[in-house]
Amino acid sequence: MLNGYYWQFYVNNVYYELEFSAENNFELRTGIGTTSSGTYSVKKGYIFCTYPDTGYTVEIPYTITDGEIDLDVTSGFDVQG
């Protein structure tokens, strides 16, 4: 569903690039020079990005409107909540 897509966004004044690739992998790069990766799964209304080294999962809400995928990355990555 998401393989080959990427999003660029700001959350908490940090720039991010979130890219999805084959075999349900993701990579998250930040403007402060960090990169992390893991696997993702899609379930009704959420994309679950899981980091294998910690087991931590980020839940990103999404909607599909007129065939376009809209990720609510702010809700998923906002640490100031």
Side-chain angles (χ1 to χ4, degrees):
M1 171 182 180
L2 294 172
N3 293 342
Y5 285 88
Y6 74 96
W7 278 261
Q8 298 172 319
F9 56 96
Y10 284 88
V11 175
N12 301 322
N13 296 318
V14 176
Y15 174 76
Y16 291 87
E17 291 181 351
L18 177 60
E19 183 175 3
F20 297 94
S21 60
E23 302 301 322
N24 295 339
N25 292 308
F26 75 91
E27 185 171 278
L28 181 68
R29 296 176 291 277
T30 71
I32 58 175
T34 60
T35 300
S36 52
S37 61
T39 58
Y40 77 90
S41 60
V42 179
K43 299 182 182 171
K44 186 175 182 173
Y46 287 91
I47 297 167
F48 295 88
C49 294
T50 302
Y51 299 93
D53 53 342
T54 63
Y56 181 75
T57 299
V58 174
E59 299 177 12
I60 306 169
Y62 77 91
T63 56
I64 298 176
T65 305
D66 297 327
E68 296 290 321
I69 302 168
D70 182 28
L71 298 186
D72 185 357
V73 291
T74 302
S75 293
F77 290 96
D78 185 6
V79 295
Q80 296 178 9

